[in-house]
Amino acid sequence: MPNVPLFFVDQDLCTECGDCIKLLPQAFRKVEDEEVAEVHAELDESHRPKLVKIMAECPGHAILWKKK
């Protein structure tokens, strides 16, 4: 199954809420020794609806698509 397009967490925008980590731990984790999140894995297409929802609900609008 194909992967969703690449995405990332803009750590300057991250509000440290941890919602993305709680809702989609397959893709997000806490940066070691910091409170911000980071992407640690690609997702297959079946996770796209959940990812898009998390992106839309992110309080800092910190989860963004990578531009090619």
Side-chain angles (χ1 to χ4, degrees), residues 26-55:
Q26 302 92 324
F28 297 98
R29 66 180 174 203
K30 184 174 145 304
V31 174
E32 190 173 329
D33 298 326
E34 295 185 39
E35 295 299 317
V36 296
E38 69 180 355
V39 174
H40 70 93
E42 292 183 14
L43 295 173
D44 66 51
E45 195 63 36
S46 68
H47 289 97
R48 184 190 284 258
K50 193 170 193 176
L51 174 62
V52 169
K53 184 176 185 334
I54 291 168
M55 292 172 103

Side-chain angles (χ1 to χ4, degrees), residues 8-37:
F8 69 101
V9 176
D10 183 327
Q11 295 180 354
D12 291 331
L13 298 175
C14 182
T15 63
E16 305 171 10
C17 70
D19 288 348
C20 59
I21 297 167
K22 289 179 224 156
L23 297 170
L24 203 54
Q26 302 92 324
F28 297 98
R29 66 180 174 203
K30 184 174 145 304
V31 174
E32 190 173 329
D33 298 326
E34 295 185 39
E35 295 299 317
V36 296

